[in-house]
Amino acid sequence: AHDLLGMVYFSGQKQPTEAVEEITKAIELNPNEPQAYYHLALVHQTQGKLAEAEQALKRAIELSPRFEDAHFTLAKLYERNRAAEKSIQAYRALLAVKPGHQGALYSLGYLYDSQGKGAQAREVLEQLTKANPRHADGWYLLGRIAEKENRLTPATEFYRLAIATKPDLVDAHYNLGFIYRSNGKQDAA
């Protein structure tokens, strides 16, 4: 009840201080409840108390190693703080729990790409698009990687797949047009 009341304070009434008090009471009454630690982490995160959020998420995962939301939130927390290696480890831990987690696969692909690790990015993004052929952002990122590697035929196909899945994906249209133009296909561009 204290945990739920804390979430009402947090979500409904935007009173984070009261939320922390109630969730902390819930943890005092039941220190082995991972959901309460997860909720506490969410409140701390919005308050900018990132170290406290990290510790609460780690405790939630310790209590419930298959807690997908806690893994994903921890990975995102590291990613926002530009702790790429910790973020990668957290996404990998989540993928060990749930191998097809689309958010983790996409984010991991994005991180690998930003680090210049094209082969690793491609590998996880191919897993993602195989599991969900309608993941437009996954196709788009595969297109960008192929284009950076000067593999224009696959880049063209990936951009087309991104557009077919999400017709208003402007960047895919632009990049596809650029490839067409550079290949002398003005009408297609």
Side-chain angles (χ1 to χ4, degrees), residues 52-70:
E52 291 89 338
E54 177 185 7
Q55 292 310 310
L57 288 166
K58 285 181 174 180
R59 181 68 178 140
I61 293 167
E62 180 184 321
L63 292 170
S64 180
R66 301 189 64 75
F67 194 161
E68 292 175 34
D69 289 341

Side-chain angles (χ1 to χ4, degrees), residues 1 3 10 12 68 70 77 83 100-101 107 137 159 170:
D3 182 40
F10 175 61
E68 292 175 34
L77 179 93
H101 192 283
S107 296
D137 292 329
Y159 289 141
V170 175

Side-chain angles (χ1 to χ4, degrees), residues 105-162:
L105 287 169
Y106 178 77
S107 296
L108 192 54
Y110 185 86
L111 278 171
Y112 282 145
D113 178 48
S114 69
Q115 293 181 332
K117 298 176 181 177
Q120 290 169 297
R122 221 177 13 263
E123 182 182 326
V124 294
L125 291 167
E126 286 170 356
Q127 278 181 269
L128 170 63
T129 54
K130 183 178 180 183
N132 180 4
R134 300 208 39 85
H135 199 288
D137 292 329
W139 289 119
Y140 172 73
L141 192 49
L142 277 169
R144 276 192 33 218
I145 292 167
E147 188 176 1
K148 281 193 276 189
E149 296 171 344
N150 204 29
R151 297 181 310 115
L152 299 183
T153 301
T156 300
E157 184 59 26
F158 294 143
Y159 289 141
R160 282 185 190 151
L161 288 165

Side-chain angles (χ1 to χ4, degrees), residues 36-103:
Y37 286 98
Y38 175 71
H39 290 156
L40 184 61
L42 295 179
V43 177
H44 282 321
Q45 198 170 359
T46 60
Q47 292 178 308
K49 297 178 178 179
L50 304 181
E52 291 89 338
E54 177 185 7
Q55 292 310 310
L57 288 166
K58 285 181 174 180
R59 181 68 178 140
I61 293 167
E62 180 184 321
L63 292 170
S64 180
R66 301 189 64 75
F67 194 161
E68 292 175 34
D69 289 341
H71 280 285
F72 191 67
T73 303
L74 181 61
K76 284 293 183 191
L77 179 93
Y78 289 143
E79 194 173 346
R80 274 186 227 111
N81 289 328
R82 293 179 168 56
E85 288 308 314
K86 284 184 174 184
S87 184
I88 288 170
Q89 289 173 349
Y91 285 127
R92 286 179 179 237
L94 173 53
L95 290 170
V97 171
K98 182 165 183 174
H101 192 283
Q102 292 182 25

